[in-house]
Amino acid sequence: QVRLVESGGGLVQAGGSLRLSCVASGGAFSSYRMAWFRQAPGQEREFVSAITPTSVNTNYADSVKGRFTISRDNAKNTVYLQLNGLKPEDTADYYCAARTSIGIPTTEVEYRYWGQGTQVTVSS
């Protein structure tokens, strides 16, 4: 019984930045493994980033490594995704996901709980 709500999406120019937030409720956030996925129009949902409960480990897709940063604030039940150096190909709906099992896998089937998404549009 976990609810995830994303926010922070918007329209930005190429090279700009956004900070996405995902607030969790209904469970023990500090024990959750958290991830971000995205889905562009006409494409499959793809892994973006993930983080362990105490931020010891993180993982990033090669396409965003060096530009995006995942972080979390367990006191606020929130995970963040800082998007810097945005490119038009980053345009997508961004989804927050959570799992209670160990590990931070890159496949969406491994995550049980999902938010409704927040849209990021990057213009050239």
Side-chain angles (χ1 to χ4, degrees), residues 2-124:
V2 177
R3 185 187 181 198
L4 306 175
V5 180
E6 304 97 332
S7 63
L11 173 64
V12 298
Q13 296 185 45
S17 298
L18 285 173
R19 190 194 195 198
L20 309 183
S21 298
C22 173
V23 179
S25 61
F29 177 79
S30 61
S31 68
Y32 298 161
R33 282 72 180 169
M34 303 297 299
W36 289 93
F37 289 76
R38 67 185 182 185
Q39 187 168 16
Q43 297 188 246
E44 299 295 319
R45 190 168 298 181
E46 65 174 347
F47 172 80
V48 176
S49 186
I51 189 168
T52 52
T54 57
S55 304
V56 172
N57 290 319
T58 58
N59 195 14
Y60 297 92
D62 288 341
S63 59
V64 307
K65 194 172 299 182
R67 298 188 297 121
F68 294 4
T69 303
I70 190 170
S71 62
R72 65 192 296 162
D73 186 340
N74 288 344
K76 296 182 178 180
N77 290 348
T78 303
V79 63
Y80 305 95
L81 186 67
Q82 179 68 42
L83 296 75
N84 294 329
L86 284 163
K87 305 174 180 179
E89 52 262 44
D90 295 319
T91 295
D93 290 331
Y94 283 71
Y95 297 89
C96 179
R99 65 185 255 122
T100 57
S101 300
I102 61 172
I104 44 173
T106 61
T107 53
E108 61 182 290
V109 296
E110 298 286 355
Y111 293 85
R112 177 177 296 179
Y113 306 106
W114 292 83
Q116 295 298 308
T118 185
Q119 185 171 314
V120 172
T121 302
V122 184
S123 62
S124 60

